[in-house]
Amino acid sequence: MSTSTASRKTSAPSKRATSANDNSDDKDDKYAKVKGTKDRLFRRVFTFIAIAFMITAYVCHVTSSDMEENKGKLRHKIRRITEKIKFNDSAVKEKLLGLKKRRDHRSGGVSIDKAVAAVKADSGAGYIDEALSENSAIEMLEERRLELDKQVRDIKATGIIMETDKNSLKVTRDLQDITRFMIKAKYGDHPHYRVKVDLEFQSSIPDFDANGPHGTIVIEMAPIEYIPVSVYNWLEIARTWKSGAFHRNANHVLQATTHSRAVKKSLAFQEYSDKHPHKKGTVGYCGRPSGPCWYISIQDNSSNHGPGSQQKENPHEADANFGRIVEGLDDVVPRIHSTPQMSWLDQKNQIKIKTMTILVPGPDDAFIEWKP
């Protein structure tokens, strides 16, 4: 065997060993590269999560600060609204009480339409005789009522939950207080007020041939201690009534439109008292904000129209519920519901409201027509 042949035989294993080492080194390099890539990816993900966490924390902090700032601005705005009016309510009340005392004195205890009041001078210099007619007293009360009504509307427009806000509650109480005086000055001081609603049924009603076109319901207002703004609103609708009709026949309510000269807007706020809930036979204002359209509850609607109903933002908000039916609940109301169409009614099936008449207690507590 030649030397060259032996050399070739000897070098072959050496090459294979070198190749194996090279392959092992390549595998190590690939593993190192993969491991490095994973490490870098992990660091990037961790860095991204850390940055996202810091951004979230910052946004929450800023949002919280903004919310507190906005809440402070809202409170400040409400304070500005409530401080706009500088009006001596006690003077108004004193003049009204003086008017009532003079009425009682001149009429032997019975209210009369025209009277002169003894009023206390704003300077506190004692009592003087002033030619204060009933109309001027009512105008003064109405001016103040409208001022407070605007304040309440402005607060409501801010979106604050008025039922739990201190300033809102104060202004709404002031509005309710002056409205009670307004009711007594304008419609007389009575324990109850009623409104007679005369209806005209159309020939599509099933019992038209037997009972004819006419029907009447009588609504007694809720006590003004509970919801005076809603009651006054309805009395004003009745006093200046123009037209209207029952235009919706649902399984839970009978809804009606109203058109009057004095009331064209909804209530300033959702006036509600749990002492006068939406039981069967009660009447309330529809919509948020409520009115001037209204409805008769033909079932207990305490859940459908009571606190927290029909919206999710305010657990206290409810439809204003201003009265209850004391005549016509068992015969006329079912007749309205018997109209041959459900939901929104066509013109031919609507039950027209022809007149509204305000009633107040008269001699022997019998209700008589109120005269201005």
Side-chain angles (χ1 to χ4, degrees), residues 315-335:
H316 309 283
E317 187 174 89
D319 283 355
N321 198 34
F322 61 87
R324 63 187 182 93
I325 294 178
V326 294
E327 292 182 24
L329 182 61
D330 297 328
D331 52 357
V332 179
V333 170
R335 196 178 181 204

Side-chain angles (χ1 to χ4, degrees), residues 181-341:
F181 275 90
M182 188 67 185
I183 291 172
K184 293 177 182 180
K186 198 167 192 174
Y187 296 103
D189 189 357
H190 304 290
H192 301 290
Y193 305 87
R194 291 182 177 180
V195 173
K196 181 166 70 77
V197 181
D198 294 315
L199 307 176
E200 181 181 324
F201 291 89
Q202 302 199 53
S203 58
S204 61
I205 205 78
D207 66 348
F208 186 84
D209 291 339
N211 295 315
H214 304 298
T216 297
I217 59 175
V218 177
I219 303 169
E220 183 168 285
M221 302 296 96
I224 63 174
E225 290 78 15
Y226 303 158
I227 47 173
V229 176
S230 302
V231 170
Y232 179 71
N233 195 69
W234 183 253
L235 292 174
E236 287 290 275
I237 287 174
R239 181 179 64 84
T240 63
W241 179 256
K242 292 172 65 178
S243 64
F246 282 93
H247 67 133
R248 183 187 177 203
N249 183 22
N251 290 321
H252 66 303
V253 296
L254 305 173
Q255 186 172 315
T257 59
T258 61
H259 301 285
S260 66
R261 294 187 301 276
V263 179
K264 301 183 184 300
K265 296 190 295 186
S266 58
L267 294 174
F269 70 109
Q270 296 299 120
E271 186 181 41
Y272 178 78
S273 170
D274 58 7
K275 295 181 176 63
H276 198 260
H278 290 270
K279 293 182 178 180
K280 181 179 178 179
T282 58
V283 289
Y285 293 113
C286 50
R288 304 290 173 88
S290 288
C293 67
W294 59 289
Y295 57 82
I296 300 171
S297 286
I298 56 176
Q299 67 174 35
D300 189 325
N301 282 317
S302 299
S303 298
N304 293 328
H305 300 292
S309 63
Q310 302 186 32
Q311 44 79 45
K312 298 179 180 179
E313 291 77 18
N314 186 344
H316 309 283
E317 187 174 89
D319 283 355
N321 198 34
F322 61 87
R324 63 187 182 93
I325 294 178
V326 294
E327 292 182 24
L329 182 61
D330 297 328
D331 52 357
V332 179
V333 170
R335 196 178 181 204
I336 299 171
H337 192 41
S338 73
T339 189
Q341 185 180 3

